[in-house]
Amino acid sequence: RTLSAGFGALIGAKIISEVVQLVNQAQQLTNKLRVVSTSTTDLKNRMSAMTEVARETRGDLDGTITMYQRLTFASNRLGASSEQVAQVTENLNKLMTIQGVQAHEARSILLQLSQGFQSGRLQGDEFRAISETLPPILDILAKETGRTREELKKLASEGFLKPRLILNALLKETANINTKFKKTSVTLSQGYNLIKTELLAFTATAGDLQMFKDLITVAFRGIALVIQILAGAISAVLIP
């Protein structure tokens, strides 16, 4: 019975460790949105909007919020509304799903695009990285500028591909992106994203995260006590 309790304690510790990571990640996501929010209500609205984007696009909630935060910072000087930034975030998520972009590639796209927005133009390494990993965006920009894919490289080198142009191009393509996205099916990794999104969203919006911390502390103390009892029982057997 003591041995069973010990195994149960170890399993419980593993589960609680996962919960701790979940709570920490939820706090990190909340903090990312807090710095671009004007009030508690605004924060809740933005969290709700990004959760819905992640659900709709089957994307990673962390990546979705990070993209939204960085685009918000970069788009503030453009006068773009939070709704427009949210729509662009959704469109980019869907484009990456359509293209079958992997997680590490998505992080690269996010980094390069946000750098392009912050610098005021998409060119050089940023343009090259995005054109290689997310080719559909070239078609969207070509349509917006009336140029060919080949001509876009020259426009990029001349600093012509500015954030406002990219933002407008992505917003105009919403309907076409939605049509293509509807033809995709859920992959196993995307199914996992959906489950994780719901867990993170619940944890982030549950209200008082201190409650989770208090429960975890009590649980850890209980597990420590069981392990202590197990160790004492083993010692009694091994050491006459």
Side-chain angles (χ1 to χ4, degrees):
R1 182 181 299 174
T2 303
L3 187 60
S4 297
F7 281 125
L10 292 175
I11 293 173
K14 175 61 177 175
I15 293 173
I16 292 174
S17 176
E18 293 295 326
V19 173
V20 169
Q21 292 182 29
L22 187 69
V23 172
N24 284 339
Q25 190 173 5
Q27 288 179 311
Q28 290 169 2
L29 296 182
T30 300
N31 287 336
K32 286 181 180 181
L33 289 179
R34 182 173 283 115
V35 297
V36 296
S37 302
T38 57
S39 65
T40 301
T41 300
D42 187 36
L43 171 61
K44 290 181 179 179
N45 290 339
R46 290 176 191 262
M47 176 61 78
S48 177
M50 288 304 98
T51 300
E52 188 56 37
V53 167
R55 286 189 188 119
E56 173 66 21
T57 63
R58 311 192 292 270
D60 174 61
L61 183 60
D62 190 352
T64 298
I65 287 178
T66 300
M67 182 186 299
Y68 174 78
Q69 183 214 47
R70 292 184 178 181
L71 290 179
T72 297
F73 281 137
S75 299
N76 280 340
R77 62 176 177 273
L78 301 177
S81 67
S82 60
E83 290 79 12
Q84 288 177 317
V85 176
Q87 186 63 64
V88 169
T89 301
E90 179 178 330
N91 289 356
L92 285 169
N93 263 12
K94 288 182 176 179
L95 278 176
M96 287 189 281
T97 296
I98 293 168
Q99 184 65 20
V101 171
Q102 300 300 312
H104 69 280
E105 294 175 322
R107 287 191 291 270
S108 174
I109 292 172
L110 165 62
L111 176 63
Q112 301 298 338
L113 189 60
S114 61
Q115 286 179 344
F117 267 62
Q118 289 170 352
S119 67
R121 58 183 60 84
L122 186 65
Q123 59 183 7
D125 291 338
E126 292 92 353
F127 177 81
R128 182 163 47 256
I130 291 174
S131 62
E132 290 175 354
T133 53
L134 197 61
I137 203 169
L138 294 182
D139 296 325
I140 292 173
L141 294 176
K143 182 177 179 180
E144 177 69 12
T145 59
R147 307 294 182 88
T148 65
R149 273 192 178 198
E150 291 70 26
E151 291 173 324
L152 284 177
K153 186 174 181 179
K154 185 172 185 298
L155 292 178
S157 66
E158 296 172 348
F160 186 76
L161 300 181
K162 298 185 181 298
R164 172 53 73 180
L165 184 150
I166 299 170
L167 193 74
N168 288 340
L170 286 168
L171 288 172
K172 289 178 182 178
E173 282 298 299
T174 297
N176 289 333
I177 292 172
N178 287 341
T179 298
K180 293 178 181 178
F181 180 78
K182 288 177 182 178
K183 297 178 181 179
T184 65
S185 57
V186 181
T187 65
L188 288 176
S189 61
Q190 291 168 1
Y192 174 75
N193 283 341
L194 290 171
I195 294 172
K196 190 174 181 181
T197 290
E198 296 307 322
L199 289 172
L200 284 171
F202 169 74
T203 306
T205 59
D208 186 7
L209 288 178
Q210 187 62 43
M211 173 188 68
F212 286 95
K213 294 179 182 178
D214 292 341
L215 289 174
I216 290 168
T217 299
V218 171
F220 266 131
R221 285 175 178 169
I223 290 172
L225 179 60
V226 171
I227 293 175
Q228 182 180 1
I229 294 172
L230 174 62
I234 293 174
S235 296
V237 172
L238 297 179
I239 306 175

